[in-house]
């Protein structure tokens, strides 16, 4: 279409040969970037919010990056924030939301609202130690417009809690379920046997001794006899975004 | 409902006290198993077909198990079948379907049809070495009623193949995408940047030296900057069933 | 029994159909939870005391959880407590007992006594570095009503200490023996050759260089030519509870 | 006593100074060996049968060692026997018993009976692939005089099988329970939540990909939230002997 | 230029609007593929020859792929070929060259000559066991037009061999040096201290025990105090191509 | 030549037998050291600057070594410097240059200029976290006389950034390219597909969970399908020096 | 002898039967302990000095143990001492000697002299980072009466330093040589090719990235083509004591 | 001396200037090689026999290398020989000696006698599975002129065997002791507590499950509380040569 326009302009003598070529060339590059420009428009295209990993960044660099992202996208999710960095962010930005756990927060411009109508994601954790990572997953999903339900602190040794809440879980009909677990990491396997929504296993870096730091949990989930998929240890953001990706599409079909 | 029926029968004197209690008790156990009986009714409930891992089983045991599953479910998927075992199965069973790759086949009773209307799953592989594992994933998804499209042999060094087929992929609008890759395992990351369907990374045990046998691929996918989920190395069945689980639900919403 | 009661009540018209069904249903759920309610009644049923892992918990969360457990069970064992957290607990709770090593303590309500008549467990350590973990094991066993004897600081290079105390050990006739060892971890193997009580190997995270942090000890125990079983590195609580589980049952048989 | 005898003989002039010293010295060495002679009398003292690891031995060496053990102990357990070696043993020895699985057998002299009254051990396996290792454990326990019950093929995805057999298991009141599991290895954790007999986790070298060859199962068991102990991967003999050690002592208390 | 041609053709009425757009669009895609079409034109663009990994491919698939590559590129390098597969290739193709070691060969069409004037690469090996991998590197470099010199079998314990040949090596003035070494892998470090050409360390999968299969060699090279770069264990093709890439550019500068 | 001189002196009676032998012997040792004296003259011979690893050294030792090197070579590069040590160096030495990142600096004597005309090296990083390591590489190359261009913060998810700068990169015609990447480490693979200069992969110790601390990045690069070479994780100095080594030689050929 | 004395006393009626038996029995236990009492008399018997590992011990426990050892043996070696603990020891004990490196010291009673005439041990280190561990080895050997020579800071890249000192080393004719090296750990291999005294490789925990913390050095030494033996990473005490053990025996033969 | 001779010849006009220089130069190279020629004269200088690793070599290459070594040294030790290769060697060479275990043999020229008067080395093994590796060590030591004593099959569970033979071992006064052990590898630790000769731990690749293939044994020995040194897993040749090196020097001192 646009090419036709340029061709016509050139034929009509409105632009000269060089201009015509240049215009087409710049389009060509747009064509290239259309395929490649994954990054800048990622947020808009796939609904995954911009996320900044605070860990390993100097506070002043963090603020700079957060500001840039916030100004360009309206909202930005900051993950793995220490208490100290959270304070720095709070004194720097006017609009900041943080969950129960200090390790994640959202900085926004006061105008851009979070997305809505993103479907429903359930979050289940095996113990109190997993909550901080699960919180990161949940806030990510919420940024992607999802409604969330949570069943916290369902330990391996407490299947009955899960069984008792099984109907509640089934009745809610979540589009996807994120299950966090450390140590031996069996909870996702059990959940996947109870509900037929896609289950995302989220290994958490708890436990000491052999298999510590979430290694046993990760291997356990990879070896699971149930049908689950897995993200990296402590990768709350990925788990939340992946679940929301699924839920977003389901909600979209529902609203058609 | 059923409890009411027993209560009425007892009140009406049709059954005595012991029989009434027994009937209710057996129901109670059914209630228990309703929650727990993940296994026997798994196929019906979640749509995941029965799968038998041929590897590590003696041929005669394999045949026995396959027969049992086939008789109880009508159809059974056999994974990681050697050529020798495939022959044994072929001479034993009348109705057997196998893919291009010998390593997977379906045994059925000639009557039970495979499911239909399960949504659409795309399968992408990085190289010829990955096809056998991807085939396992694809046949699993097909057993779960999915339609499938495949883009085989898109190597890491051949992104343009993927880019050229990107529109085809986007136009097909798959409900989920399984991407198999060995060696450095970057293909799922790239695919997840192009399409917003949920991507399942399937590491394949290729490569030699450090990081061989799919280890580099697995770690690479777990560390991916894109939003993908992962299954274990060579776990074609899990990848296919997980993708189909998502697609099944999407198709259901579509058909409402 | 209870079902019969409801049936009779219904037949007698004391309750209506809906109430009868509901009552039975709630029983059914109890039946379910009877199997599943591992958690809440765990303490009573298996004699393993409630234990709270202090490590990785925030002090205020720790206090909250400890208080809840203490109020519901009367006594609670807190493991892997830092000096700082111990102080916080001491200033918060009236009744608190701690061993020689700061890393474990018991919080109780001043009324609930520890169990008694739990059999006899022996505790043997290879060196001073292992004592803190062994202390955790010992206090766990004591909470489970066990009497304990201890042979501390029997190094690998000091078998004669063990041999000289062998008679004392044999005469005591312990129901189970917990043997802690770091570095090359051979002590459990040697002890299992001397006494025929079940030996539980408890690897301790000492040692530097290759095989450090208890890894050599763990592997060594798993490869042992003697008949021993093993728990995870530094898992004092599990070792103590496992030994006590055995001793409890033996003492029960003895008291019949 | 014996020393007194020598002293008296010397005083009485029946033996001279050198003879007296020598006799006492040889006794001294017996005293030494009394402590150290773990090996030769191991069978009698602790009830663990002689076991020969067939794997890695040449057939002719295996036969020689088996014969020696059999002649000295009456009975000998041979573990990890290949089919080929089993045949060699069968053509060599008159009295040979083997289980369902070819990988373990007992060679005896036709006169020495296996021990009796050794208590009760339960054996539970997660899948058909675990049976061969569990068989090794079971035959070991039987050689140590134990009665055994078995619940085979209770997969992770089939908890209801376990729950349905829970009463049977509880009613049997086993003195110890060996639970074999490969892949994610969660079954011992679940069993330990149901029954309060000591549970021995026996990881089995099944599974492919990350965590394969029983590694995920081992780590999972070491990280278990339940109170279990663990033996090495595929160490059926150790698991069986350890369980029997516990059961033997319990039965002894029962028979007092 | 080409765009201008199309523009002029369109203006001149030689082609219509649709044809003009289409032609430009196909160019656009070429622009895209210009960046992305790494694969198909890889050989021409960077001088790296097509290489087919024989290992893990079925013989008939291998032949098909080799034929396709050979027909499209004139020459194709086949790596990690077993003796059996080499024979199959020899009976299938008319023009085939193989080195001293069976594990690498070149299939060509009898017309396409190998490149020339690619600079000089030296190949040094620590022992006879490394030669097969080094041969793969050397043939790759030769395919890329390089001249090669080789100093084979210079063991770690035989530095003097290297020292005695140091002048020869220096006088030859290679553009790059590939040094293969297994076991402790120190040779590249030593060579990099003698000559200032870029040294590529090529770890070889020899050695047994801890650090076997080239692991110690790889780590050793990564930890080297000298300035060297490293490729994966046994990655002869990559080492040869990387060295040739450097040499090609140097020779080009020389010939300017 | 020199030997002839001594021989003649001796024949002429200018020196006696002992002196003649001694002179020749000292030459012999020079011959030896000519081969071996890698260290002292390393800087002059290969153009790699002296570098001192600050990490793990006490501040006073660091100062002593830096002074010695600076006095002997005029300039010395100090790597992995903490902020604290940088301050100590700044208060100790008059002439000190440091990059944006505190972790690297150059101490010199105010007279010795850095080398010039060393060719051109490009530096590409995947994210802000990689910049500190890349800075170390860049300053090393600059010390070796290289001009440098940098394309910072090109994430895996931002290939378009790279593609858009591809022409700039190609037009610059760098002699070598250092590509730093953490997490899944795919950037070097992609860059090597775009440009035919030798690419050095520099894995950076970022990322958490499985494959953290640069392990996934390292394995990914070693398994790369592209032709790249690799240095150790965080080895900025080696990467920079290796790239400069190549560039130096190319520039030399260019200037001939 | 002693037994004869008791026998005679008894025969002479100086002691009664019970006393005679008791005396002999206590000797018997001495006989036992003669074999087993490795620990208490270890210092005297094998010449290895008592060593206390300070690391991981609380300061007050450390002081207590050091005092006990010092009082019983006259002298005690304390290894891996932090500066803080060294100060505490210095303020507690009158006689304390420490090397250049703070990490090792000797506490004695002012009277007990260190052993003499223990032979000659050479100590060679690859770099300044290795000196602290080597110092520990050297002081251990000196405590065992050895004379020592040291060649410090001979880096891998500085073989000529070693070659230049080779004659000095050979002329000294050491009985054993301890060679410390971190990173790629090749120095022991080279030294073992120059001198025929037994070489003990001592890997040091330097280096970062893959193979860090001495792992590459350890593997490298284990894979060495030279004939060397190895101790654990940073195990200075073991290396020194092992070398001294050899030297002690050689010196003894020399002095015969 | 030699230099003086040449100088004098030149002064006397017996040789001309060029010849004199050349002669000196060749000496110079000898001087160089005197230091560096580790390899060719290794056998003579350090008494370590030439050893050829058969594993991984093709039979015809093996024969060629063995012949070359045999012709140059008179005798050559071949290690890790398969039965098949042994047969090939036997049909090729007239003079060949092999031990009980097929895995090692000596090929010689019928004239060159093995060395004598090399001291005494003891060889102790934990089990029958270790004998083959120990045999390799023993034959190596014998080639180096050592007398040997062996105590085979002293299992971990059979310390008394060792204790009973302790006097025999002590009376023999070996110059060095090689102790082979697989699985948990504790035997060297125990032996080092009994005898004060230097102990070389030789881990053997037995055992299955976690820590298999000698890994647990290696780590265990590295972590040993006793003073021992270690060689790589299955490195019988190194262990034997190292022990012989020590024994050779001791015997030499003894014979002075």
């Amino acid at each position: 279409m646009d090419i036709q326009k340029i061709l016509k302009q050139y034929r009509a003598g409105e632009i000269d040969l060089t201009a015509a070529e240049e215009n087409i060339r710049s389009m060509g590059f747009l064509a290239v970037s259309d395929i490649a420009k994954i990054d800048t428009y990622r947020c808009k295209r796939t609904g995954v919010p911009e996320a900044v990993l605070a860990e390993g960044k100097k506070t002043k660099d963090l603020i700079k990056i957060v500001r840039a992202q916030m100004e360009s996208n309206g909202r930005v999710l900051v993950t793995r924030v220490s208490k100290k960095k959270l304070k720095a962010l709070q004194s720097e930005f006017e609009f900041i939301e943080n969950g129960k756990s200090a390790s994640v927060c959202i900085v926004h411009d006061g105008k851009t609202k979070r997305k809505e109508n993103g479907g429903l994601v359930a979050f289940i954790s095996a113990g109190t130690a997993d909550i901080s990572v699960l919180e990161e997953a949940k806030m990510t999903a919420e940024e992607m417009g999802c409604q969330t339900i949570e069943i916290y602190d369902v330990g391996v040794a407490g299947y009955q809690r899960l069984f008792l809440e099984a109907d509640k879980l089934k009745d809610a009909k979540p589009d996807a379920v994120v299950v966090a677990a450390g140590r031996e990491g069996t909870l996702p396997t059990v959940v996947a046997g109870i509900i037929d929504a896609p289950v995302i296993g989220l290994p958490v870096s708890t436990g000491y001794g052999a298999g510590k730091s979430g290694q046993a949990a990760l291997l356990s989930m990879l070896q699971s006899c149930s049908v689950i998929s897995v993200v990296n240890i402590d990768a709350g953001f990925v788990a939340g975004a992946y679940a929301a990706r699924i839920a977003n599409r389901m909600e979209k079909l529902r609203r058609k």
Side-chain angles (χ1 to χ4, degrees), chain A:
Chain A
M1 206 117 66
D2 281 23
I3 291 177
Q4 291 199 358
K5 197 172 152 195
I6 298 166
L7 284 164
K8 286 176 186 162
Q9 285 176 329
Y10 169 62
R11 199 178 216 182
E14 293 168 24
I15 54 175
D16 66 8
L17 189 66
T18 319
E21 189 194 354
E22 233 160 63
N23 288 349
I24 286 168
R25 243 180 216 292
S26 74
M27 280 183 64
F29 278 106
L30 284 177
V32 172
S33 50
D34 195 21
I35 284 162
K37 230 171 232 168
I38 300 159
D39 194 40
T40 321
Y41 299 110
R42 187 172 50 163
C43 180
K44 263 120 216 164
R45 209 170 44 77
T46 66
V48 176
E50 283 309 313
V52 176
L53 178 69
E55 193 180 70
K57 293 207 174 63
K58 295 174 191 165
T59 303
K60 69 173 186 188
D61 287 353
L62 178 64
I63 287 168
K64 217 155 69 184
I65 294 168
V66 167
R67 186 179 310 285
Q69 295 280 13
M70 189 261 282
E71 280 167 5
S72 122
N73 293 287
R75 301 176 68 89
V76 57
L77 185 74
V78 194
T79 63
R80 299 176 85 85
V81 198
S82 66
K83 278 191 180 174
K84 208 178 133 195
K85 280 181 183 162
L86 180 61
K87 274 187 190 157
L89 289 172
Q90 282 168 330
S91 70
E92 190 72 23
F93 296 102
E94 194 180 358
F95 302 101
I96 187 159
E97 297 165 9
N98 65 299
K100 289 170 218 162
S101 148
S103 73
V104 76
C105 71
I106 290 153
V107 175
H108 60 92
D109 57 12
K111 297 169 297 187
T112 315
K113 297 294 167 213
R114 84 150 70 135
K115 288 178 52 184
E116 288 188 337
N117 301 328
L120 178 69
V121 181
F123 293 87
I124 305 178
S125 79
T128 45
D130 311 331
I131 291 179
S132 157
V133 171
L134 202 60
E135 185 88 2
E136 184 181 313
K138 197 169 73 99
M139 286 185 69
T140 303
E142 284 168 355
E143 275 298 289
M144 290 172 73
C146 295
Q147 282 185 291
T148 57
I149 55 170
E150 46 184 270
I151 307 178
Y152 278 8
D153 205 3
V154 173
V156 179
Y159 288 138
Q160 92 287 6
R161 287 266 286 289
L162 182 63
F163 290 141
L164 291 176
E165 309 222 34
D167 283 341
K168 176 183 153 194
L169 191 65
K170 286 183 195 169
D171 293 350
K173 291 193 203 313
D175 295 317
V177 186
V178 174
V179 188
R183 301 198 58 174
E184 81 268 59
T186 54
L187 197 58
T189 295
V190 176
V191 171
I194 289 173
I195 195 164
D196 65 350
V199 170
I200 294 117
L202 170 54
V204 179
S205 63
T206 54
Y208 50 87
K212 70 177 172 180
S213 304
Q215 292 173 55
L218 173 60
L219 292 179
S220 211
M221 293 180 194
L222 287 171
Q223 287 286 352
S224 172
C225 296
S226 290
V227 169
I228 61 173
S229 74
V230 181
V231 297
N232 203 358
I233 298 162
D234 288 345
F237 171 74
V238 179
Y242 192 79
R245 228 178 198 195
I246 295 172
N248 285 182
R249 289 166 66 92
M250 297 222 176
E251 185 63 23
K252 219 166 150 188
L253 288 172
R254 229 176 263 121
R255 287 177 182 269
K256 264 186 187 162

